[in-house]
Amino acid sequence: EAAPEPELVPVPDGSDVAALRCRAQGVPGVQLHWERDGRPLGASESRYQEQQWREGPWTRSVLTVANVSLERARSRDLGSGRNRTVGAFVCVAQNPLGSARRRLLLQLA
């Protein structure tokens, strides 16, 4: 769906998880996937979990991001102070005829 770019997704600092939502439709039907820093998010990255389903003509996806607080990110990133969990995520809708992207910006509130 069209939305202002990037869509801001605030999450309170100290939260355990944040949820990013995306939906798209197309003919033929679309598949959704998520990217970060220009690369697809892999199933091996434990801090991300994706659920995808069809609802009528829409394909929907929810990306759950774990460890979003600055304190948790610092301990996970060994004191680097750089939170690699918040920032820009891209939802990509794709079918054989093309693709569309939507950028969501996860930020601490």
Side-chain angles (χ1 to χ4, degrees), residues 14-77:
S15 296
D16 288 331
V17 296
L20 301 174
R21 302 176 192 291
C22 183
R23 74 180 193 163
Q25 64 177 323
V27 176
V30 299
Q31 288 286 78
L32 300 175
H33 73 268
W34 292 88
E35 294 180 352
R36 177 80 197 254
D37 299 325
R39 294 177 293 138
L41 294 180
S44 64
E45 296 181 71
S46 62
R47 66 179 169 246
Y48 306 119
Q49 288 188 336
E50 183 198 9
Q51 291 181 306
Q52 186 173 139
W53 68 97
R54 300 246 341 150
E55 196 171 273
W58 295 96
T59 300
R60 297 177 181 266
S61 177
V62 174
L63 179 68
T64 303
V65 182
N67 297 326
V68 293
S69 75
L70 187 57
E71 179 181 327
R72 289 173 189 260
R74 281 187 176 149
S75 65
R76 183 188 63 241
D77 297 335

